[in-house]
Amino acid sequence: MSLLQLPPETLIQIFDYVGSSYFRSDLSRLTVCKQWSKFAHTACFRDFYVTQKTLRRLLSSPYVESSLPLVKDSVETLDLDLKGFEDWDSIPLSRHDSRAVNVLNVSTWNGAHGRAVRAAWTTELNNDLLYLATIIKQSRKLRILRIQATSELHPLLRLLERRDYLFLSTIRAFLSASNLTSLELDLCGTRLIPHQSQEHGEGFHVCTSIAALLTTLRRLRLRMRSICADVLKPRQHSTNLRLNEMLINLSLSNESPLTTSAAHATCCSSSTGGFLQLKADIEKQAQVLVAQMAAPKIVRILTHALPSIEMRAFDVLTGRNVILSEGTEWDDDGEAIEDQVSDEESEISDLSLYDDG
């Protein structure tokens, strides 16, 4: 018996076992024959893990016109893993300039040549992501969206300013997808750059786009360089939200292995009071949100304390603070501590004012 003579349910299991990475590494593997293609495309794009490299390879593939509609029809989970200025030393400054750019010193990286490289890299990445978003947001099956954006791992990073690379409009495009039930945004590696003229106003920030999804989400995890309490304000009041898991991490302590300082997120709207006020506002709004959730399981606001950069979580459901061991998950049980505002937290709030150099 040949492979394709097996029952469909068996073939589905086989293709799922082979996994999507096998097909994404060489898209010609999707086109063995018509019957094979049906199972292969479903396996390839159901759980769609994308990096900047794989997205560029997909969009430059001769099979892109046939593959993207299949992504739309198959994808259930989209996982974007972005690393700041990945392969920045090989990108051409333009489509007509094939020269590889080798930026090995601070003066070159901070100079006109380095700025041109970063601009070209940033533009190409956001154009590719926006193209993907226009396809993805039409999907009827997409339920889980994860986006992780980390800082660049430039060998001279300690001597350089951190560079932002994601446009606000890019992230908002992905958040316009309907029917999402799980959203994870870990964007500590970049602030979201206003790219369109109307995005420079105070009312245009990603928090309102996230809040618009609260009526459909069941799971929400956030870590962003800029955030405010608006992220937890549903557009319509409800006492029956299906959201049962909500975690917001305000700590940026491990956003890059090359970063030795500890910082917290800052408020994305004009506000006084620094980090402690931001933390208090988000905790207060989280308590309001809990009252609108039908069956909350875990609702936490995470921070860290000096001098050991100790991770802490405020459990909104119990009103208690817990200490989390290093390397544990955000929803780990932790060890309960007394609720108090410490001098260490005040010190961290002062540090956060100088974070985004």
Side-chain angles (χ1 to χ4, degrees):
M1 179 183 293
S2 68
L3 175 66
L4 295 179
Q5 289 178 314
L6 292 171
E9 58 271 18
T10 303
L11 286 171
I12 291 173
Q13 293 184 22
I14 292 173
F15 278 83
D16 284 346
Y17 180 80
V18 170
S20 59
S21 60
Y22 172 79
F23 298 103
R24 290 200 306 271
S25 63
D26 183 354
L27 294 179
S28 65
R29 294 170 178 169
L30 296 170
T31 58
V32 172
C33 69
K34 185 175 181 179
Q35 186 180 359
W36 170 284
S37 180
K38 179 177 67 173
F39 293 101
H41 276 97
T42 300
C44 179
F45 299 124
R46 179 186 289 119
D47 298 320
F48 196 31
Y49 174 81
V50 184
T51 66
Q52 189 262 350
K53 287 182 180 179
T54 58
L55 180 58
R56 179 92 295 272
R57 188 163 60 238
L58 172 64
L59 296 183
S60 60
S61 164
Y63 305 104
V64 63
E65 294 299 328
S66 59
S67 295
L68 284 181
L70 291 166
V71 172
K72 180 194 71 174
D73 295 336
S74 303
V75 64
E76 298 176 10
T77 299
L78 176 62
D79 195 343
L80 294 176
D81 186 3
L82 308 174
K83 296 177 175 60
F85 303 100
E86 187 176 35
D87 292 336
W88 48 265
D89 56 345
S90 61
I91 187 170
L93 297 184
S94 71
R95 296 298 182 189
H96 306 291
D97 185 354
S98 60
R99 294 175 298 167
V101 178
N102 191 14
V103 185
L104 296 177
N105 57 71
V106 174
S107 60
T108 304
W109 183 247
N110 282 331
H113 201 61
R115 288 193 297 271
V117 173
R118 295 193 299 274
W121 189 95
T122 300
T123 298
E124 180 175 82
L125 172 66
N126 283 275
N127 285 344
D128 287 352
L129 290 173
L130 280 171
Y131 191 89
L132 177 64
T134 59
I135 302 298
I136 290 297
K137 66 183 182 182
Q138 302 174 45
S139 172
R140 296 182 178 181
K141 293 184 177 180
L142 180 65
R143 296 294 182 269
I144 300 173
L145 175 62
R146 303 187 191 100
I147 305 179
Q148 182 177 33
T150 57
S151 296
E152 70 267 31
L153 296 180
H154 193 290
L156 298 174
L157 182 61
R158 290 186 179 91
L159 304 175
L160 300 168
E161 294 182 354
R162 185 186 52 78
R163 314 291 178 170
D164 299 322
Y165 60 89
L166 278 183
F167 295 157
L168 172 59
S169 56
T170 299
I171 298 301
R172 287 168 66 100
F174 282 103
L175 296 179
S176 64
S178 59
N179 302 318
L180 287 178
T181 60
S182 179
L183 175 64
E184 297 182 37
L185 297 181
D186 191 349
L187 308 180
C188 64
T190 175
R191 286 186 179 275
L192 300 181
I193 307 167
H195 183 58
Q196 301 172 353
S197 58
Q198 68 269 25
E199 292 178 344
H200 289 272
E202 184 175 319
F204 287 89
H205 52 105
V206 74
C207 293
T208 54
S209 298
I210 297 171
L213 298 173
L214 292 175
T215 54
T216 62
L217 290 178
R218 298 182 182 180
R219 186 172 187 265
L220 176 64
R221 294 191 176 205
L222 300 173
R223 183 167 64 157
M224 303 186 294
R225 302 198 76 86
S226 297
I227 194 170
C228 69
D230 288 350
V231 77
L232 300 180
K233 296 179 180 179
R235 289 184 177 177
Q236 296 180 342
H237 180 79
S238 173
T239 57
N240 196 35
L241 292 178
R242 292 183 293 175
L243 185 68
N244 56 47
E245 177 183 322
M246 192 281 293
L247 296 100
I248 295 180
N249 192 345
L250 299 177
S251 172
L252 308 176
S253 61
N254 64 340
E255 61 99 6
S256 168
L258 298 182
T259 300
T260 56
S261 61
H264 278 109
T266 56
C267 187
C268 55
S269 59
S270 57
S271 174
T272 59
F275 169 70
L276 292 182
Q277 185 62 54
L278 171 64
K279 178 175 179 288
D281 290 345
I282 290 181
E283 289 180 354
K284 181 179 179 180
Q285 186 57 41
Q287 292 169 334
V288 173
L289 182 63
V290 164
Q292 302 179 56
M293 296 164 63
K297 294 180 180 179
I298 181 169
V299 180
R300 281 184 172 181
I301 311 300
L302 286 80
T303 56
H304 66 251
L306 290 176
S308 59
I309 314 183
E310 180 181 71
M311 290 301 302
R312 297 185 178 185
F314 173 65
D315 190 318
V316 179
L317 299 181
T318 64
R320 300 294 301 274
N321 283 292
V322 298
I323 298 175
L324 302 179
S325 302
E326 183 178 358
T328 58
E329 297 294 330
W330 297 1
D331 55 359
D332 186 71
D333 289 339
E335 179 183 350
I337 58 175
E338 293 299 321
D339 184 16
Q340 59 183 1
V341 177
S342 66
D343 292 337
E344 291 176 349
E345 288 177 300
S346 299
E347 183 179 354
I348 290 176
S349 69
D350 293 336
L351 286 174
S352 68
L353 299 176
Y354 305 99
D355 167 44
D356 279 320

